[in-house]
Amino acid sequence: MNHDPFKKEHHLRTKLDEYHVDIPDFPMQSRGKRWERFINFLASPAKDPIEPLISTTAGFAVLKLAPIMGMAVISILQLFFFL
């Protein structure tokens, strides 16, 4: 386990020794229990998928007219295929 791969690579060893990184000491948060994480996941707020449509006037009109247009298309298809 005392094998050092950088002993043979002198060029790489000198390049790595040129850089020094200071890692700040900050407290780590405990991850908590699995049950608590699950409850926090369930309690987190969700993004509303219809919000971009409701925020504009045209989107609101599309949201109101889409079911009507869909039913019209389905009824026309039924007339052509089943009569």
Side-chain angles (χ1 to χ4, degrees):
M1 297 308 286
N2 293 333
H3 177 69
D4 187 10
F6 300 116
K7 280 186 179 180
K8 294 179 184 174
E9 300 289 335
H10 296 292
H11 179 69
L12 183 59
R13 172 60 102 184
T14 56
K15 290 295 182 185
L16 287 174
D17 287 339
E18 287 178 7
Y19 299 104
H20 180 70
V21 177
D22 292 326
I23 300 173
D25 186 29
F26 57 91
M28 297 292 292
Q29 292 181 355
S30 64
R31 290 187 53 108
K33 295 179 182 176
R34 180 175 286 177
W35 183 251
E36 290 175 8
R37 285 186 286 152
F38 179 67
I39 295 298
N40 287 337
F41 172 73
L42 290 178
S44 64
K47 181 181 175 187
D48 185 12
I50 303 176
E51 185 177 355
L53 289 175
I54 295 174
S55 62
T56 62
T57 307
F60 191 66
V62 168
L63 190 63
K64 289 171 81 175
L65 294 176
I68 297 169
M69 297 301 291
M71 289 307 297
V73 168
I74 289 174
S75 59
I76 291 172
L77 288 175
Q78 285 180 352
L79 286 174
F80 285 128
F81 287 117
F82 295 113
L83 285 181

